[in-house]
Amino acid sequence: MTSIDSLGDFGQYTRQARASTGASSSAKRRKFMPRLSDGDLDDDADSTAIQGKHSNDKYRPGYILKVKVKNFTTYSYAEFNLSPSLNMIIGPNGTGKSTLVAAICLGLGGKIDLIKRKNLKSIIKTGQTRSTVEITLKNFDNKPPVVINREFTESDNRYTINGRTATDSNIKELRKRFNIQLDNLCHFLPQERVAEFAGLTPERLLLETERTLGDGQLLALHEDLIKKDTRSVELGITINDISSKLEKLIQEKDSLEEETKKFKEFEKKTLEIEHHTKLLPYAQLADLKLQQRETKRKRDEAKANLAKFIDSTKPLQNQLRDAQSAREKKQAELDVVDNNQKEIYSRYVNTKKDLASIYDTIDSLKSNINTLRNRSAEKRSELEKLQHAKNTLIRERDRMELPQENEIEELSTLRNEKNDQLNSVNADAETLHDKLNLKHTAIKQVMHHAKSIEQKLRNNDKLVVLEPTSSYRSHVKEVAYSAHQLLRAEPTFKGMYFESPAVCCNATDIAFAPHLEKVIDNNTLLSITTVDEKSFQNLQKFASSKKINFPMRMTKFQREVATLYTQEEVKTFGFEGFLSDFISGPPEVLSMLYDVSKLQEIPVSRRALNREQVTKLTTPNSNGYCPFKKFIAGDTLFVIGRSKYGQKQVFYSTEKIGRSFYFNSSGINAEAKAELSKQLREARDKEEGIKDEIKKLQQLYNDKVTEGKEIKKELDSFKERLAELSITKNQRARVIAKIATTDELIKKITRDSKKDYTEKIRATEEKIETKYKDTSICISTLAKCVSELTKVSIEFNLLEFAVLQAKNREIAAKKLLEDLENRKEALREEYEVLKAEYNKIKKGDAAKMIAEQSKSYTEEERNILSDLAKSYVDAKNFSERVIREKIQLLIDERSVMATADSSSIESLKRKLQEIKTSEKELPRLKSEKSRLDARIEKVRGEWEPALTELVRKISLSFNKRFTKVASDGHVELAKAEKFKDWKLQILVKFRQESELKILDHQSQSGGERAVSTIFFIMSLQGLTDSPFRVVDEINQGMDPKNEKMAHRYLVHTACQNNKSQYFLVTPKLLTGLYYHPDMVVHCIYTGPLIEPVDKEAAVPDFMDFAGKAIST
């Protein structure tokens, strides 16, 4: 293969267009090996090209043939067709080189934390919900390749192997079959874990190397030795502890022999207490039997008393029944007399009512006779009065003058004409008044507008700087102005936000205003500031509800902000201070500006710096850094940058500083003042014009009002005259109507005065005579009723007294019986209580409980208890009280014994038990440790020689390669007493005059550690069965010489040995590197000038033509 230096660019390209939803239209491309034929643009061409370049025999089982990804990180689709030897992936930072490493890890079922990602969502391409990785592996025994497909979402995961659904366990088994160790840093070293490999301890490095070598048997033996060694040490410690403890216990036992005797006496007393405690239920049973006999006697006595009392109450009950019968008989007689009395009284009341009614009728008839006799005289008197009234009305009628009809009609016509004329004048005046109101409203609006303009001219509120003007309009500025007005109108947001820096901040020196506005971007200048998440969310909801999108910033408020240099130090560079020294405003807003625009890190000077000062500020120091990333001198902003490629040289760019729009004053600027002054003049001119119009309209209105008043005066005179004529006419008509009504009454009364009432008077007198006869009958009836009531009343009182006597006898008998019944119930209750108590004792299960308890006693215990009980029975004191007193006495005697040395007794018991346990446990532990030590020696005899030999081979291989780039290097096995402390140490020497040192963070630089690491990994070649190895950006920090040397040996090892497939990821490619015909370089391209390409397109694009030209 021709060197990249002479050919420039090479390879076949597989391309992937970025998603159309993104802002960029750039495309990613992968560059592989040359084409076999022109025009082949499909996926099979890639595979055919690889097979043509490398024989299928060179692919060993577990080698990766192809990797496909879809919607993976930044890729929508990409394919990698891989070499069986070395695959070098190159490209600038950020183009997606490490994506291949991530795809291999996740596609083979690796955990997400192996590539230091948080979750699967971070792997899925932005804007997509599902991602796919497909990996094709070489299979055993010429079998078809193994195709592993992993499709996953944020929360879902699905595997297939050769199209069949698989599980995580299936994928792990497949990795184990091919000896793929994704968690072994010697096999799989992604970019995210390079630092982790460099930080491995020698102990951990030995374990990782053992896992790499062969089939992992050495690691299994080592881990088994560590486990067994740890257990052996634990057993040795335990045996020593038990032996020491046993010796001490035996010594203490001899000193406690005297206490043993006390202990036996103590046990004897305790046994005696136990026997008495067991005897206690039998004493309770004896007490219970005695109680039963006494209770039975009391029950029988209560029963006899109750029967005797019941027999003594029967005569009294007979007397009560006789009294009740006598009372009921007298009550019946009383009810009959009472009903008779009520009936007589009812007749008496009705007769009295009839007599009163007759008297009323007689009085009414007498009154009618008097009325008929006086009626003629009354009619004649009434007739004379009516005639007099009629004559008076006639005289009044004759005095009234009747108005002329033609005069009324003429006055009505004149009134209507004047009314129409007045309405017309009033309508004209109303129209003029409306016009005047409109003009007054207009002049008020003009005056208010002029006043608001004057206030703006005098006002220091900087919000006016955001107000849109006719000369210049900005959408962001207009939105910010509207947002400030809306928020000011909402009191609920008070204290929740700070207004934009353009409104609430000022330059402490106006000369620095342009410099501040140059550094602070426009959105930040116009943004609302909040200091907490809740306020920020509330403002977002408010903006959404108002459908206005204004800029907002949230910052963590810091009262003190540290600057890079002190005030004195920054002046030594030629500056007057930092930009943060020349701005004032709310501390929270200033804190936001420090966070976003870094004002505290940008020095400023109003005068220009000389060439030497600029050179000093733009030249990096020994650490590769300049004093400031940005600084301002005069009217120029200097921005320091660093190249991302090559030597990453420092450069700077400059920008001119314009004029200030916001920070140049505490209020409105000159441009806005001029605009407002123009608006004020226009408002004043308009006000004068409206005043002239109002003056003219007011004169016309006044004339109309005067004319209307004159017309109304004439109209009122016509109305007054018409009213007078109408009143006169109506009054004469009412008098004539009254005369007619009076004539009708005179005629009617004249007819009534001529009637004769003699016959009516005679008939009425006859009725009065009849009513007097009825009166005598009623009086006779009343006398008879009074006589009967007197007799019945006397009889009723006698019977009522007899009933009362019978009731008293009945009540007395009942009271006596109630008292006797209470006494009977008391006797019955006493009997029932004694009966229940006796039955309870009789039917109780105390004896059964004692029998059940005695079943658990041995024959010896029964005999002891029997003898003990007999002694108390013979003494006639076998009771619960006596036994409990005896138990308490025994307990007191035992406590005196225990008080002598109770702790020694308990201690002796514990020590005897511990001696017994230790004498039993010690031989078992010694036997277990002996067997374990023998097993350790056997395993060590198998493990140590094999490990020593492999480390020797690794050291020889490492020394052979490493001495090409350094002075000396070895790999050493550091043995220790404990197997967990055995170490694998990499010893290196980069200079002849120095000594061999262990590879660590303190002794070597980052580049030296990277060189040593890559040569150590290469030295494992041939000793491991891993199908592939991945190394991502391990060459970072190497100087060009070491990088070229390391690259040469890596290429040579990977392409000559053919024991493992290698992947090397690097962001840079030095000139003059060594290349082998069997290696493949994959170039990752991205950039805005690369047009997006459709993978399925039939028309070749630019990169296809480039690849074709290079391959030919």
Side-chain angles (χ1 to χ4, degrees):
M1 177 180 287
T2 309
S3 170
I4 242 180
D5 299 331
S6 60
L7 190 57
D9 210 350
F10 66 97
Q12 173 180 317
Y13 298 85
T14 299
R15 55 275 180 199
Q16 163 53 37
R18 289 189 184 273
S20 59
T21 56
S24 170
S25 62
S26 62
K28 285 197 173 184
R29 301 174 178 271
R30 280 194 307 101
K31 177 174 58 182
F32 293 93
M33 56 182 298
R35 295 181 185 273
L36 290 178
S37 60
D38 299 338
D40 274 330
L41 300 175
D42 59 359
D43 296 340
D44 292 338
D46 297 342
S47 301
T48 306
I50 295 294
Q51 294 298 326
K53 181 69 179 178
H54 303 286
S55 171
N56 191 47
D57 295 338
K58 291 187 176 183
Y59 290 91
R60 297 168 61 86
Y63 278 24
I64 302 176
L65 303 177
K66 182 186 295 186
V67 177
K68 292 182 181 180
V69 294
K70 183 178 181 182
N71 296 330
F72 194 82
T73 63
T74 58
Y75 289 94
S76 291
Y77 179 86
E79 280 187 28
F80 294 84
N81 292 288
L82 304 169
S83 164
S85 54
L86 176 62
N87 295 274
M88 180 179 289
I89 298 91
I90 65 170
N93 286 327
T95 54
K97 303 180 302 301
S98 297
T99 300
L100 174 61
V101 180
I104 292 173
C105 176
L106 296 181
L108 292 174
K111 296 180 179 179
I112 191 72
D113 55 3
L114 291 177
I115 55 174
K116 302 300 181 184
R117 293 294 187 100
K118 293 182 179 180
N119 48 49
L120 289 175
K121 183 180 179 181
S122 62
I123 299 296
I124 301 173
K125 189 177 188 299
T126 302
Q128 302 295 324
T129 59
R130 187 175 296 275
S131 183
T132 305
V133 179
E134 182 180 291
I135 296 181
T136 304
L137 299 177
K138 174 69 175 177
N139 207 342
F140 292 99
D141 302 328
N142 295 321
K143 293 181 181 179
V146 178
V147 180
I148 304 171
N149 184 285
R150 181 178 185 178
E151 184 177 359
F152 58 89
T153 64
E154 178 182 352
S155 58
D156 188 24
N157 193 45
R158 189 172 70 88
Y159 289 101
T160 62
I161 299 177
N162 290 334
R164 295 184 177 179
T165 302
T167 63
D168 287 334
S169 300
N170 299 140
I171 301 299
K172 289 179 183 178
E173 181 64 28
L174 189 67
R175 290 204 311 266
K176 184 177 180 181
R177 186 149 54 96
F178 287 113
N179 195 26
I180 297 173
Q181 302 177 21
L182 296 176
D183 56 345
N184 190 332
L185 295 178
C186 295
H187 289 184
F188 189 80
L189 189 60
Q191 176 183 353
E192 296 82 357
R193 302 184 71 192
V194 170
E196 183 180 343
F197 183 87
L200 286 177
T201 63
E203 294 85 355
R204 186 63 187 171
L205 180 60
L206 175 59
L207 294 174
E208 291 294 329
T209 304
E210 286 177 317
R211 189 144 60 99
T212 301
L213 299 175
D215 57 358
Q217 179 64 19
L218 285 176
L219 176 63
L221 291 173
H222 191 180
E223 290 177 342
D224 186 44
L225 283 170
I226 292 173
K227 183 178 178 182
K228 285 180 169 57
D229 190 31
T230 302
R231 176 58 180 163
S232 178
V233 171
E234 292 174 353
L235 287 173
I237 293 172
T238 304
I239 289 170
N240 291 334
D241 290 344
I242 293 176
S243 298
S244 300
K245 183 178 179 182
L246 183 60
E247 183 178 351
K248 184 178 179 181
L249 287 172
I250 293 173
Q251 292 175 356
E252 292 176 351
K253 174 179 173 293
D254 296 337
S255 65
L256 294 172
E257 288 296 335
E258 181 63 27
E259 296 297 330
T260 304
K261 182 179 179 181
K262 294 180 180 180
F263 176 70
K264 290 180 179 179
E265 293 177 356
F266 182 86
E267 287 292 314
K268 181 180 179 181
K269 189 65 67 175
T270 301
L271 185 61
E272 191 175 355
I273 292 172
E274 290 178 359
H275 289 158
H276 276 81
T277 302
K278 291 178 180 179
L279 187 63
L280 191 59
Y282 295 97
Q284 292 172 342
L285 182 60
D287 290 344
L288 197 62
K289 289 180 178 179
L290 180 62
Q291 182 183 358
Q292 181 180 0
R293 288 194 296 272
E294 181 64 20
T295 302
K296 183 176 183 300
R297 184 188 65 77
K298 290 180 179 180
R299 182 204 66 180
D300 295 342
E301 183 179 347
K303 184 177 180 181
N305 291 336
L306 178 61
K308 182 178 179 181
F309 183 83
I310 291 172
D311 291 339
S312 66
T313 59
K314 289 181 179 179
L316 187 60
Q317 289 177 351
N318 294 332
Q319 292 178 10
L320 176 62
R321 284 194 294 271
D322 293 342
Q324 287 176 340
S325 177
R327 192 261 307 164
E328 289 172 357
K329 182 178 180 182
K330 290 297 181 180
Q331 183 66 45
E333 294 176 1
L334 179 64
D335 292 340
V336 171
V337 173
D338 183 49
N339 291 333
N340 188 25
Q341 183 181 16
K342 289 178 180 178
E343 190 273 332
I344 295 170
Y345 182 76
S346 177
R347 282 191 285 115
Y348 170 80
V349 171
N350 291 334
T351 303
K352 196 173 182 179
K353 287 181 180 179
D354 292 341
L355 182 62
S357 177
I358 292 170
Y359 283 138
D360 291 340
T361 303
I362 291 172
D363 292 338
S364 175
L365 291 173
K366 288 180 178 181
S367 176
N368 288 339
I369 291 173
N370 292 331
T371 300
L372 290 173
R373 289 173 178 171
N374 297 329
R375 181 167 293 178
S376 296
E378 291 175 356
K379 293 295 182 182
R380 286 192 295 272
S381 175
E382 185 178 356
L383 186 60
E384 290 175 358
K385 291 178 181 178
L386 290 173
Q387 190 63 47
H388 177 72
K390 176 182 177 183
N391 295 332
T392 302
L393 290 172
I394 291 172
R395 287 193 297 271
E396 184 179 355
R397 181 196 64 187
D398 293 341
R399 285 196 302 270
M400 292 181 179
E401 184 180 355
L402 183 64
Q404 299 295 323
E405 289 296 329
N406 57 352
E407 184 182 1
I408 294 175
E409 291 177 359
E410 183 179 352
L411 287 171
S412 297
T413 301
L414 290 173
R415 181 195 63 187
N416 293 338
E417 289 176 356
K418 287 298 179 180
N419 192 52
D420 293 341
Q421 188 177 358
L422 179 61
N423 289 338
S424 176
V425 172
N426 287 341
D428 293 341
E430 187 69 24
T431 301
L432 291 171
H433 188 265
D434 291 341
K435 290 181 180 180
L436 276 172
N437 288 340
L438 292 174
K439 291 300 180 182
H440 281 299
T441 302
I443 198 170
K444 285 181 181 178
Q445 292 175 347
V446 172
M447 291 172 70
H448 178 73
H449 181 56
K451 186 177 180 180
S452 66
I453 294 173
E454 289 177 344
Q455 288 178 347
K456 288 181 180 178
L457 287 171
R458 294 192 301 268
N459 193 7
N460 288 330
D461 187 357
K462 288 184 64 180
L463 183 60
V464 295
V465 302
L466 303 182
E467 189 174 8
T469 62
S470 57
S471 59
Y472 171 73
R473 302 184 72 88
S474 166
H475 175 69
V476 177
K477 186 176 177 182
E478 291 178 5
V479 168
Y481 179 72
S482 300
H484 280 75
Q485 287 186 316
L486 290 171
L487 287 172
R488 285 184 177 185
E490 292 287 343
T492 55
F493 289 104
K494 187 176 181 181
M496 197 179 293
Y497 73 96
F498 296 91
E499 294 186 332
S500 64
V503 175
C504 67
C505 294
N506 280 312
T508 56
D509 188 335
I510 196 171
F512 293 101
H515 307 88
L516 288 165
E517 291 186 30
K518 178 65 179 177
V519 171
I520 304 173
D521 65 275
N522 198 45
N523 273 348
T524 302
L525 274 171
L526 302 177
S527 64
I528 300 295
T529 302
T530 64
V531 294
D532 59 79
E533 182 69 26
K534 183 178 180 181
S535 299
F536 187 79
Q537 292 177 355
N538 288 337
L539 288 176
Q540 282 185 323
K541 293 178 181 177
F542 175 75
S544 177
S545 66
K546 297 297 183 181
K547 296 183 179 179
I548 180 172
N549 186 17
F550 55 87
M552 289 184 286
R553 297 284 188 271
M554 185 177 72
T555 184
K556 185 177 181 181
F557 174 55
Q558 299 178 353
R559 294 189 178 275
E560 296 183 3
V561 180
T563 56
L564 298 173
Y565 301 94
T566 65
Q567 192 71 20
E568 292 73 17
E569 288 173 338
V570 78
K571 288 181 178 179
T572 60
F573 290 102
F575 298 107
E576 298 176 59
F578 291 101
L579 282 176
S580 57
D581 299 328
F582 303 103
I583 186 171
S584 64
E588 291 81 1
V589 179
L590 295 180
S591 179
M592 182 273 290
L593 292 176
Y594 298 156
D595 287 343
V596 177
S597 302
K598 307 298 182 185
L599 301 183
Q600 75 280 14
E601 298 178 4
I602 303 175
V604 61
S605 172
R606 283 176 286 189
R607 62 179 182 81
L609 302 179
N610 57 41
R611 184 181 297 276
E612 290 76 12
Q613 289 175 314
V614 173
T615 301
K616 180 181 178 181
L617 292 167
T618 57
T619 302
N621 57 21
S622 58
N623 295 326
Y625 296 101
C626 295
F628 308 101
K629 294 181 180 180
K630 293 181 181 179
F631 61 87
I632 297 175
D635 62 348
T636 304
L637 170 65
F638 292 81
V639 181
I640 310 299
R642 184 184 294 273
S643 174
K644 295 183 179 180
Y645 310 103
Q647 298 298 323
K648 297 187 177 180
Q649 295 181 346
V650 174
F651 64 90
Y652 71 89
S653 59
T654 60
E655 299 177 21
K656 287 297 179 183
I657 296 175
R659 66 188 182 92
S660 172
F661 292 93
Y662 305 108
F663 293 154
N664 59 350
S665 68
S666 60
I668 190 170
N669 56 32
E671 180 183 357
K673 279 185 179 180
E675 178 68 21
L676 290 173
S677 298
K678 178 182 176 183
Q679 294 178 7
L680 182 60
R681 288 194 299 274
E682 292 175 352
R684 293 302 184 195
D685 293 342
K686 187 175 181 180
E687 180 184 349
E688 291 300 324
I690 296 173
K691 283 182 178 180
D692 292 339
E693 293 179 9
I694 289 174
K695 189 175 181 181
K696 293 176 182 179
L697 288 172
Q698 188 65 47
Q699 183 60 45
L700 292 173
Y701 175 74
N702 292 339
D703 293 343
K704 287 292 182 182
V705 170
T706 302
E707 182 182 356
K709 288 180 179 180
E710 292 176 354
I711 293 171
K712 189 174 185 306
K713 187 176 180 181
E714 294 178 10
L715 178 62
D716 290 342
S717 66
F718 292 144
K719 287 182 177 180
E720 289 176 3
R721 179 58 185 160
L722 279 171
E724 290 175 358
L725 294 175
S726 178
I727 290 171
T728 301
K729 185 178 179 181
N730 291 335
Q731 285 178 346
R732 194 173 188 278
R734 283 196 296 273
V735 171
I736 293 172
K738 286 182 179 181
I739 292 172
T741 303
T742 304
D743 280 341
E744 291 295 328
L745 286 173
I746 289 171
K747 291 177 182 180
K748 182 177 183 301
I749 292 173
T750 301
R751 288 193 302 269
D752 291 340
S753 65
K754 295 178 180 180
K755 291 182 179 180
D756 185 10
Y757 297 102
T758 303
E759 188 63 29
K760 285 186 177 182
I761 291 172
R762 187 183 62 78
T764 303
E765 288 175 344
E766 291 178 355
K767 290 180 179 178
I768 291 173
E769 184 179 357
T770 303
K771 288 298 178 181
Y772 276 122
K773 293 178 179 179
D774 293 338
T775 301
S776 62
I777 294 171
C778 287
I779 291 172
S780 176
T781 303
L782 283 174
K784 184 178 180 181
C785 288
V786 169
S787 176
E788 292 178 358
L789 277 174
T790 303
K791 293 179 181 179
V792 171
S793 178
I794 294 170
E795 185 180 2
F796 179 82
N797 291 333
L798 292 174
L799 287 172
E800 190 174 30
F801 180 73
V803 169
L804 182 61
Q805 285 180 328
K807 281 185 178 180
N808 288 335
R809 287 195 297 273
E810 182 182 356
I811 290 170
K814 282 184 177 181
K815 178 63 177 173
L816 183 58
L817 280 174
E818 285 179 2
D819 293 341
L820 294 174
E821 187 67 26
N822 291 336
R823 174 61 181 158
K824 184 179 74 173
E825 289 299 322
L827 291 172
R828 189 186 300 278
E829 184 177 348
E830 181 183 0
Y831 167 71
E832 292 296 335
V833 169
L834 292 170
K835 180 182 177 182
E837 185 177 350
Y838 173 76
N839 291 336
K840 180 180 179 182
I841 296 172
K842 182 178 180 182
K843 297 179 180 180
D845 54 357
K848 293 181 181 178
M849 292 175 60
I850 294 171
E852 289 294 328
Q853 181 180 344
S854 65
K855 288 181 181 179
S856 62
Y857 297 162
T858 63
E859 187 63 30
E860 182 182 358
E861 287 177 329
R862 289 194 185 94
N863 294 332
I864 293 173
L865 292 176
S866 178
D867 294 339
L868 189 59
K870 186 175 184 302
S871 66
Y872 282 103
V873 172
D874 294 342
K876 297 183 179 180
N877 60 353
F878 188 46
S879 66
E880 181 182 1
R881 180 182 61 79
V882 172
I883 300 301
R884 289 191 182 279
E885 289 176 354
K886 180 63 176 178
I887 291 173
Q888 186 60 47
L889 178 63
L890 292 171
I891 291 174
D892 293 341
E893 292 176 354
R894 187 182 64 173
S895 64
V896 173
M897 293 172 61
T899 305
D901 193 4
S902 58
S903 60
S904 297
I905 296 173
E906 294 299 325
S907 176
L908 180 61
K909 290 173 66 177
R910 289 196 303 271
K911 293 184 186 309
L912 290 174
Q913 182 62 37
E914 289 175 4
I915 290 172
K916 181 179 179 181
T917 303
S918 299
E919 288 176 344
K920 180 179 179 181
E921 186 71 10
L922 191 59
R924 186 188 67 77
L925 293 176
K926 288 181 178 179
S927 176
E928 182 181 353
K929 185 176 186 305
S930 177
R931 292 194 302 271
L932 190 61
D933 291 341
R935 177 60 183 161
I936 290 172
E937 289 301 320
K938 182 179 179 181
V939 174
R940 180 173 183 172
E942 178 184 355
W943 167 74
E944 185 175 355
L947 178 61
T948 303
E949 178 61 21
L950 285 172
V951 172
R952 185 187 67 79
K953 291 180 180 180
I954 293 171
S955 182
L956 291 174
S957 177
F958 177 75
N959 179 265
K960 179 180 177 182
R961 293 174 171 83
F962 189 72
T963 50
K964 302 295 182 181
V965 297
S967 178
D968 194 9
H970 297 283
V971 178
E972 180 181 89
L973 180 64
K975 302 179 182 180
E977 181 180 356
K978 297 180 180 179
F979 293 105
K980 69 181 181 64
D981 297 329
W982 284 44
K983 305 175 183 177
L984 187 65
Q985 299 177 155
I986 302 175
L987 304 171
V988 295
K989 182 171 70 171
F990 283 88
R991 286 163 290 281
Q992 189 64 36
E993 65 277 7
S994 62
E995 298 178 353
L996 278 169
K997 293 184 179 180
I998 297 174
L999 184 67
D1000 55 27
H1001 288 283
Q1002 290 77 30
S1003 304
Q1004 293 83 23
S1005 66
E1008 290 172 342
R1009 290 198 304 273
V1011 170
S1012 304
T1013 299
I1014 198 167
F1015 275 97
F1016 174 75
I1017 292 176
M1018 287 189 293
S1019 67
L1020 301 178
Q1021 184 69 21
L1023 301 176
T1024 176
D1025 294 332
S1026 174
F1028 62 81
R1029 296 181 183 182
V1030 178
V1031 181
D1032 190 357
E1033 297 194 14
I1034 199 172
N1035 56 334
Q1036 293 301 300
M1038 293 186 187
D1039 59 69
K1041 177 183 176 182
N1042 286 336
E1043 185 173 353
K1044 289 181 180 180
M1045 186 66 69
H1047 178 268
R1048 180 180 183 85
Y1049 278 98
L1050 178 61
V1051 172
H1052 181 78
T1053 301
C1055 296
Q1056 291 294 335
N1057 203 321
N1058 197 30
K1059 290 291 184 69
S1060 291
Q1061 186 181 25
Y1062 274 81
F1063 295 87
L1064 175 62
V1065 181
T1066 177
K1068 60 183 180 178
L1069 199 62
L1070 300 176
T1071 58
L1073 292 177
Y1074 169 75
Y1075 294 94
H1076 192 279
D1078 288 338
M1079 69 181 289
V1080 171
V1081 180
H1082 307 264
C1083 298
I1084 308 297
Y1085 287 96
T1086 183
L1089 301 179
I1090 299 178
E1091 294 296 328
V1093 180
D1094 185 2
K1095 172 182 177 294
E1096 305 298 335
V1099 180
D1101 64 357
F1102 169 77
M1103 298 306 292
D1104 294 314
F1105 286 121
K1108 173 183 174 183
I1110 294 170
S1111 63
T1112 56

